[in-house]
Amino acid sequence: MDAVIVIGYNYHFNENDFINKYVIGVDKGALYCLENNIKMDCAIGDFDSIDEKSYIEINKITKVIKLNPIKDETDTQEALKLCKSMDSITIVGGILGKRIEHFYANLLLLKKYPNLSIKDDYSLIMTSNKSITIEKNEYKYISIFSIDPDTNITLNGFKYNLKDYNLSPDCLLGISNEIIENKATLSLKSGKIILFFTKEDNEVLR
């Protein structure tokens, strides 16, 4: 089974993202689910970002796990603990948002959970430790960075191809590439990468 963790920010709800998924609303993300008629399997958080009336309404429609606001782990980390048996996990929202440090914390979670991805209306972020084939899609740009000191990649079907390139974690060569063929292949001989798929410039930030 696949899970969807709803945080919010720069995400317009698409019902197709939630079909046959285990849905968790995290803190204010639970309120977004309520407002958009998205059925949740549970809601989790300290709920310090919503008012009492909304909290009562959330309790009426789903199981609620209320966390102590004084804790060592983020609400999102606690939500991920509920997804240990899931085949894949997608966080919707959680990119940029009102506090940049929470976005950075979510990026660190990608390294810990290999089956995790993060998406909003403009971007999709994921990791991979194996070769992948990518069909040309709605995302204009793809940026590839190493998160392993022993990463060797070959790119075909991209605007900027590479062959047996040792991509170090501090190398920025992989930024803002584009898929120009119907399908592109990213061959990973060793290591692990993080991929950023991005549409046009984010209108919210213009």
Side-chain angles (χ1 to χ4, degrees):
M1 191 174 189
D2 300 325
V4 177
I5 295 175
V6 181
I7 296 178
Y9 303 120
N10 295 334
Y11 174 76
H12 291 89
F13 280 78
N14 181 345
E15 290 185 359
N16 292 330
D17 288 336
F18 302 94
I19 295 173
N20 297 323
K21 305 290 175 62
Y22 187 86
V23 180
I24 303 173
V26 176
D27 206 87
K28 199 167 186 177
L31 177 59
Y32 296 144
C33 287
L34 175 68
E35 293 172 340
N36 289 275
N37 299 313
I38 299 299
K39 184 180 181 297
M40 291 176 283
D41 292 277
C42 73
I44 189 170
D46 52 34
F47 299 101
D48 58 356
S49 59
I50 64 175
D51 58 38
E52 184 65 22
K53 181 180 178 181
S54 298
Y55 178 68
I56 291 171
E57 290 301 313
I58 292 167
N59 270 272
K60 289 179 180 177
I61 64 167
T62 192
K63 172 185 175 183
V64 173
I65 303 171
K66 189 166 186 180
L67 304 173
N68 190 325
I70 302 173
K71 55 187 182 300
D72 294 330
E73 297 185 327
T74 66
D75 291 345
T76 304
Q77 283 179 284
E78 295 291 347
L80 283 166
K81 291 179 182 179
L82 305 175
C83 302
K84 290 180 179 179
S85 62
M86 300 297 168
D87 297 317
S88 72
I89 311 164
T90 303
I91 293 175
V92 293
I95 299 176
L96 298 181
K98 294 182 179 180
R99 291 175 58 187
I100 195 68
E101 66 269 28
H102 283 283
F103 173 46
Y104 182 68
N106 290 336
L107 289 178
L108 295 179
L109 291 173
L110 285 167
K111 297 176 68 175
K112 185 175 181 180
Y113 295 89
N115 61 338
L116 175 65
S117 61
I118 308 174
K119 66 177 285 188
D120 65 5
D121 289 339
Y122 301 94
S123 306
L124 169 67
I125 310 171
M126 59 185 290
T127 62
S128 182
N129 61 358
K130 59 185 179 182
S131 300
I132 55 176
T133 298
I134 308 167
E135 294 186 0
K136 194 172 180 62
N137 54 58
E138 61 186 323
Y139 296 102
K140 181 176 181 180
Y141 303 107
I142 175 172
S143 296
I144 305 163
F145 303 101
S146 170
I147 50 176
D148 186 300
D150 184 31
T151 296
N152 181 280
I153 66 170
T154 294
L155 301 179
N156 286 297
F158 291 83
K159 185 175 182 179
Y160 306 105
N161 288 325
L162 291 172
K163 183 173 176 60
D164 286 328
Y165 188 84
N166 293 318
L167 187 69
S168 64
D170 61 353
C171 179
L172 306 184
L173 182 67
I175 196 167
S176 297
N177 208 336
E178 298 178 43
I179 297 173
I180 59 173
E181 304 290 343
N182 290 331
K183 290 183 179 180
T185 57
L186 191 161
S187 301
L188 198 60
K189 186 181 292 185
S190 60
K192 188 175 183 179
I193 53 173
I194 184 168
L195 301 101
F196 293 77
F197 297 88
T198 311
K199 299 178 185 177
E200 296 288 351
D201 292 347
N202 190 333
E203 296 286 345
V204 174
L205 301 178
R206 282 186 178 179

